[in-house]
């Protein structure tokens, strides 16, 4: 496993891999790795000849400076974890490698970037789409792996990949959860033990709504109401939003019919903002 810091070195390796006809799988991350990231890495390992993981805490996608400052950076422990899963390359650039002096080109995906996370975190998806474009152009992967936990991010990346003509196939991996049901997240580290325990209410609410959906409820506001009632029963939880949206367009949905719908929520526990979602398919 090689750790690459320079973009130029990453370029020349990916050029050689393409020349050698290697299938390259890419997992973009911000480090502070947990079992969710590792699931993406394992899937990547099974799907390609070469696995490249990037570790870059992208300042442009943070609208909350406190959140950026709190974010754990520990390349040594992340690299040790990735070495166990036969990762070939870690791309861990400095900020100036990605954003050189005078940087002024940004990617903004209209529509899908605007609601939910986009509304609560202005500029977030502009940062995500920009960095993923730079990373895709540097790594040139055949496959790129993303987690369903960040459902809106998936919609943004899919739209962008189609629109900008990247030859990368986007692969989405189901959300990995702690035993309590809490979605794994690097931000869980910032919760107090009590908050972490109580935060399992998020998935509990989403599950209850999913069960109601399975039992026949097709009215989105009723399902949102179920999540809201559950979350409101927990004094430590402060709801940012709960919404039912079309999985592709991210447009709000009122009546759930054939298309896949994402029931999505963002909840504060103290200063920590957690997101989670479940997919509702008419087939379920
Ligand atoms: P991050 O380091 O938080 O930017 O996440 C890197 C990738 O891992 C993104 O595609 C996330 O959606 C994915 N990811 C993060 N947490 C989970 C999880 N609990 N289950 C599945 N994928 C996840």
């Amino acid at each position: 496993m090689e750790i690459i810091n320079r973009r130029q070195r990453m370029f020349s390796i990916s050029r050689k891999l393409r020349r050698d006809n290697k299938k390259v799988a890419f997992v973009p991350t911000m480090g502070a790795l947990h079992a969710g990231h590792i699931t993406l890495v394992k899937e990547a390992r099974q799907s390609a000849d070469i696995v490249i993981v990037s570790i870059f805490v992208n300042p442009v996608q943070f609208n909350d400076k406190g959140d950026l400052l709190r974010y754990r950076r520990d390349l040594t422990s992340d690299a040790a974890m990735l070495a166990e899963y036969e990762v070939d390359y870690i791309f861990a650039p400095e900020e100036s490698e990605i954003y050189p002096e005078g940087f002024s080109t940004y990617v903004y995906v209209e529509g899908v970037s605007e609601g939910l996370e986009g509304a609560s975190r202005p500029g977030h998806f502009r940062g995500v789409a920009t960095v993923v474009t730079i990373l895709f152009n540097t790594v040139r992967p055949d496959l790129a792996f993303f987690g369903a936990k960040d459902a809106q991010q998936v919609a943004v990346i899919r739209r962008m990949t189609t629109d900008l003509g990247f030859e990368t196939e986007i692969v989405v991996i189901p959300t990995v959860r702690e035993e309590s049901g809490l979605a794994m997240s690097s931000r869980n580290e910032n919760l107090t033990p009590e908050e972490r325990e109580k935060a399992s209410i998020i998935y509990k609410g989403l599950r209850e709504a999913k069960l109601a959906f399975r039992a026949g409820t097709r009215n989105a506001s009723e399902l949102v109401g179920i999540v809201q009632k559950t979350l409101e029963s927990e004094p430590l939880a402060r709801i940012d939003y709960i919404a039912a949206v079309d999985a592709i367009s991210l447009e709000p949905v009122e009546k759930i019919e054939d298309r896949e719908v994402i029931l999505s929520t963002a909840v504060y526990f103290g200063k920590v903002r957690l997101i989670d979602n479940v997919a509702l398919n008419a087939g379920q």
Side-chain angles (χ1 to χ4, degrees):
M1 187 176 80
E2 179 183 338
I3 301 180
I4 299 168
N5 304 114
R6 299 257 172 255
R7 213 164 145 201
Q8 210 52 48
R9 169 91 183 133
M10 192 69 253
F11 274 136
S12 54
I13 286 171
S14 41
R15 202 178 306 122
K16 178 164 185 341
L17 292 171
R18 274 201 309 285
R19 237 189 352 253
D20 294 346
N21 269 325
K22 299 288 189 201
K23 190 168 183 184
V24 174
F26 177 47
V27 184
T29 81
M30 299 203 297
L33 301 179
H34 52 66
H37 298 111
I38 295 303
T39 305
L40 270 64
V41 169
K42 284 187 187 158
E43 288 290 328
R45 182 68 281 168
Q46 284 181 6
S47 328
D49 303 311
I50 299 291
V51 176
I52 303 177
V53 176
S54 66
I55 297 182
F56 180 62
V57 182
N58 177 31
V60 181
Q61 75 187 62
F62 283 80
N63 61 317
D64 172 350
K65 284 284 162 272
D67 187 25
L68 175 62
L69 291 172
R70 277 193 297 276
Y71 216 88
R72 179 165 67 82
R73 293 159 176 83
D74 188 350
L75 183 58
T76 313
S77 87
D78 287 343
M81 215 162 158
L82 294 175
E84 281 184 46
Y85 296 92
E86 296 169 66
V87 167
D88 299 284
Y89 299 97
I90 297 177
F91 180 43
E94 290 292 322
E95 197 179 322
S96 60
E97 286 288 309
I98 298 295
Y99 301 113
E101 217 185 301
F103 185 93
S104 45
T105 306
Y106 295 88
V107 177
Y108 183 68
V109 184
E110 292 181 357
V112 282
S113 294
E114 279 148 29
L116 311 183
E117 290 300 285
S120 290
R121 303 176 68 192
H124 172 65
F125 288 118
R126 176 175 178 262
V128 169
T130 302
V131 80
V132 173
T133 297
I134 297 168
L135 292 169
F136 278 9
N137 276 330
T138 309
V139 175
R140 301 284 208 96
D142 297 288
L143 306 165
F145 291 74
F146 292 88
K149 187 183 80 101
D150 299 284
Q152 190 173 11
Q153 171 168 282
V154 167
V156 169
I157 301 292
R158 280 197 193 285
R159 188 70 255 167
M160 180 191 96
T161 302
T162 304
D163 291 354
L164 299 185
F166 286 110
E167 285 182 309
T168 300
E169 183 188 330
I170 307 302
V171 184
V172 181
I173 302 297
T175 302
V176 179
R177 301 181 179 281
E178 296 185 357
E179 224 170 283
S180 68
L182 175 65
M184 294 215 177
S185 164
S186 310
R187 290 185 177 86
N188 294 351
E189 293 177 9
N190 299 323
L191 297 167
T192 64
E194 189 192 5
E195 286 166 346
R196 193 164 180 150
E197 189 196 320
K198 299 289 168 60
S200 61
I201 192 92
I202 301 173
Y203 186 54
K204 192 161 170 268
L206 291 169
R207 286 236 358 121
E208 276 173 24
K210 187 158 179 155
L211 289 176
F213 173 78
R214 283 193 179 144
T217 308
R218 290 291 179 270
N219 188 315
S221 24
E222 256 179 73
L223 297 174
V224 165
I226 292 173
V227 182
Q228 186 177 345
K229 195 158 162 255
T230 311
L231 288 172
E232 282 174 354
S233 73
E234 173 46 62
L236 293 183
R238 187 161 57 82
I239 299 169
D240 182 356
Y241 65 76
I242 307 165
V245 297
D246 181 277
I248 309 286
S249 70
L250 269 287
E251 295 279 347
V253 171
E254 195 33 64
K255 182 130 178 56
I256 303 175
E257 284 159 352
D258 308 339
R259 310 242 299 270
E260 182 172 306
V261 166
I262 303 287
L263 186 59
S264 180
T265 184
V267 186
Y268 282 95
F269 278 78
K271 284 196 184 114
V272 183
R273 188 171 176 282
L274 302 172
I275 59 170
D276 201 351
N277 68 80
V278 291
L280 307 174
N281 299 95
Q284 289 176 330

